[in-house]
Amino acid sequence: MAILAPDSTTTIPFSSNGHQDTLLELNPFLIAQRQLAEAVEILELDDATHEMLRWPMREFKFVFPVKMDDGSTRVFHGYRVQYNDARGPAKGGLRFHVQETLDTVRALAAWMTWKTAVVDIPLGGGKGGVTCNPKELSRSELERLSRGYIRRVADFIGPHNDVPAPDVYTNPQIMAWMLDEYEAISRQHLPGVITGKPIALGGSQGRADATARGGILTLREAARTLGMELQGATTAIQGYGNAGAFGHKLGAELLGLKVVAASDSRGGIYNPHGLDHDALGQWKQRTGSVVHFPGAEAVSNEELLELDVTVLMPAALESVITGHNAARVQAKIIAELANGPTTPEADHILHDKGAYVIPDFLCNAGGVTVSYFEQVQNAYNLYWTAAEVHKLLEAKMVTAYHSVREMAERMTVHNRLAAYLVSVDRVAAVMKLRGWV
Ligand code: GLU
């Protein structure tokens, strides 16, 4: 049985059947360590390399006060984990979420390390966040929270050591406040400290839909590999944030997917005749959720995962496809726009039943790839067109997909393990060159 991290602050999620194994199965950092161990064994890496890759190189955990609109002060818990910077500055998003824990951030930071390696960009992996419910905060409270977070981490981040970006419940406006706070502290313009900025503040064309666009490109390549036609293919999308909503739009526009189901934290909807992206987007904008969308019937998030569709896109949070429901997942292709949606138990079940998984840190690497382009543009102070960004992103995603596909074929392993083999080998090689191991 896996051992909990020594200073774990994980709040183990409630499990319906209450088994301890189930609880451990759902700790994302233990999952990340298990996935790594499988790759390390096949690559025959030495113990020191494995130990370096099993843990974050540095992690920051802090509390900070925020003045609330009613005059009271609330204290929030914040995190920034620099998992590995052998290949370049730590890179990864900031999440504002009620369930944010140090172990979640560690797992997400580890996955960023493998993500930047699989698309072969000169960056390492990091992640951060604040335990909070952003939906309960006013705009000015959110601004003070964002600035307060940066005041705690300003000494440790920077264009050449650690570069945050948006993640779940953070967005370009939050990046703008954070950039402004960092530049106020540094007393100079340093747009490369953070990515996913508004375009007017040094953001990149094509960054907003980059995660979904990259995922759709890997889906296109997967369909070619499998000899499948995706025009009109039924699709279910779990999660309707940035990745899910743009996954719907670009999936329909670029591949002709027919999205029949979508969900968010409040529930899901299903219409066998297909859901229109623009109409659903407007509905969500107006009502705050996809639920009760006219003409669609209600489904739960759990039911959505088990629908009889060709493509399933988990685009929300970790550990939604587990040992308990994987056998009932019917999709032929699972394009993981979320980070860590599938547990190792589920991976084996899906593999055995012949489902084709495009693993998270490959499928959703488009976001960080365009973040890297954003940094390059910031460094040159020269900005590219959307067409240029799309072309460079496509080249990166197609190359990464085929490096994973080739590895999977050569080693006869499933795609996630193949992606680990590609990435871990790259990070380990650079640690060796540096003389760390
Ligand atoms: N949060 C995104 C991810 O998980 C983007 C990270 C970035 O752009 O640095 O990949």
Side-chain angles (χ1 to χ4, degrees):
M1 187 189 289
I3 296 161
L4 275 171
D7 52 349
S8 165
T9 56
T10 293
T11 316
I12 293 175
F14 175 76
S15 145
S16 49
N17 70 7
H19 290 315
Q20 184 70 0
D21 285 350
T22 311
L23 300 180
L24 287 174
E25 183 198 334
L26 295 178
N27 178 319
F29 186 49
L30 295 179
I31 289 173
Q33 288 186 324
R34 272 175 68 182
Q35 292 166 334
L36 169 71
E38 250 188 287
V40 163
E41 203 182 315
I42 296 174
L43 292 168
E44 295 177 359
L45 297 179
D46 58 85
D47 289 349
T49 306
H50 188 184
E51 194 62 9
M52 278 297 290
L53 295 176
R54 248 164 65 82
W55 297 101
M57 288 176 57
R58 284 176 291 280
E59 50 191 26
F60 307 99
K61 160 81 184 65
F62 44 89
V63 291
F64 63 105
V66 176
K67 291 271 183 293
M68 307 305 280
D69 291 346
D70 66 3
S72 67
T73 299
R74 266 181 67 187
V75 175
F76 289 89
H77 292 249
Y79 318 86
R80 185 71 191 168
V81 170
Q82 297 169 352
Y83 198 86
N84 190 290
D85 61 9
R87 288 172 44 88
K91 183 80 191 85
L94 297 173
R95 179 182 286 196
F96 289 175
H97 199 271
V98 262
Q99 279 162 5
E100 193 77 335
T101 66
L102 183 55
D103 271 357
T104 319
V105 181
R106 287 166 159 175
L108 291 161
W111 292 326
M112 285 308 304
T113 306
W114 316 134
K115 195 180 301 190
T116 53
V118 85
V119 281
D120 202 11
I121 54 179
L123 295 167
K127 205 83 176 195
V130 178
T131 310
C132 67
N133 182 357
K135 290 179 187 167
E136 282 174 358
L137 301 174
S138 70
R139 185 179 162 89
S140 49
E141 287 168 344
L142 205 52
E143 175 176 350
R144 290 192 290 274
L145 180 91
S146 304
R147 291 182 184 277
Y149 179 88
I150 289 299
R151 286 198 292 276
R152 279 289 184 273
V153 298
D155 282 344
F156 315 114
I157 64 172
H160 301 293
N161 43 356
D162 183 6
V163 183
D167 197 78
V168 174
Y169 292 127
T170 54
N171 57 33
Q173 176 60 72
I174 291 173
M175 300 304 110
W177 290 323
M178 289 183 163
L179 172 71
D180 185 67
E181 191 66 28
Y182 184 79
E183 290 185 340
I185 292 167
S186 313
R187 309 205 61 74
Q188 54 186 317
H189 283 288
L190 290 164
V193 69
I194 199 156
T195 61
K197 301 180 291 291
I199 288 177
L201 260 182
S204 177
Q205 297 288 344
R207 178 63 185 82
D209 68 12
T211 304
R213 186 176 295 274
I216 294 299
L217 290 167
T218 61
L219 179 57
R220 183 192 74 190
E221 295 305 300
R224 284 180 185 164
T225 301
L226 299 168
M228 270 172 74
E229 176 55 68
L230 287 180
Q231 182 69 38
T234 52
T235 302
I237 302 179
Q238 196 223 18
Y240 215 72
N242 173 286
F246 277 119
H248 184 174
K249 182 178 183 321
L250 296 174
E253 278 174 16
L254 303 178
L255 302 179
L257 299 181
K258 179 167 139 188
V259 176
V260 294
S263 68
D264 56 32
S265 59
R266 295 200 211 155
I269 51 166
Y270 173 66
N271 183 340
H273 304 298
L275 299 163
D276 178 67
H277 168 265
D278 290 341
L280 184 55
Q282 282 161 17
W283 180 261
K284 172 136 180 145
Q285 179 87 13
R286 190 145 52 85
T287 65
S289 172
V290 297
V291 299
H292 306 308
F293 182 60
E297 56 187 272
V299 285
S300 67
N301 267 286
E302 293 71 31
E303 286 164 346
L304 179 139
L305 297 169
E306 299 172 15
L307 286 174
D308 183 10
V309 288
T310 305
V311 180
L312 174 63
M313 292 184 195
L317 297 173
E318 309 83 53
S319 299
V320 294
I321 306 177
T322 67
H324 298 285
N325 63 359
R328 294 192 298 276
V329 169
Q330 302 186 60
K332 313 267 176 303
I333 303 183
I334 298 160
E336 296 183 339
L337 288 175
N339 290 307
T342 308
T343 66
E345 285 73 13
D347 260 334
H348 289 293
I349 297 168
L350 294 174
H351 184 58
D352 289 347
K353 63 190 274 194
Y356 191 89
V357 176
I358 310 173
D360 54 356
F361 66 79
L362 168 65
C363 189
N364 68 31
V368 75
T369 301
V370 177
S371 276
Y372 160 60
F373 298 157
E374 182 173 331
Q375 271 205 303
V376 173
Q377 294 168 80
N378 294 152
Y380 274 90
N381 206 10
L382 185 71
Y383 289 83
W384 309 341
T385 62
E388 286 170 311
V389 170
H390 292 165
K391 194 162 159 243
L392 290 168
L393 174 63
E394 179 166 1
K396 276 288 182 201
M397 295 308 300
V398 170
T399 304
Y401 169 82
H402 288 287
S403 62
V404 171
R405 179 192 54 74
E406 275 163 24
M407 181 66 87
E409 286 166 8
R410 185 153 59 84
M411 304 297 285
T412 52
V413 293
H414 60 73
N415 288 339
R416 188 179 326 278
L417 185 50
Y420 266 91
L421 294 175
V422 169
S423 294
V424 172
D425 191 42
R426 286 180 183 166
V427 178
V430 170
M431 293 205 306
K432 198 167 181 61
L433 281 173
R434 287 181 180 275
W436 292 357
V437 287

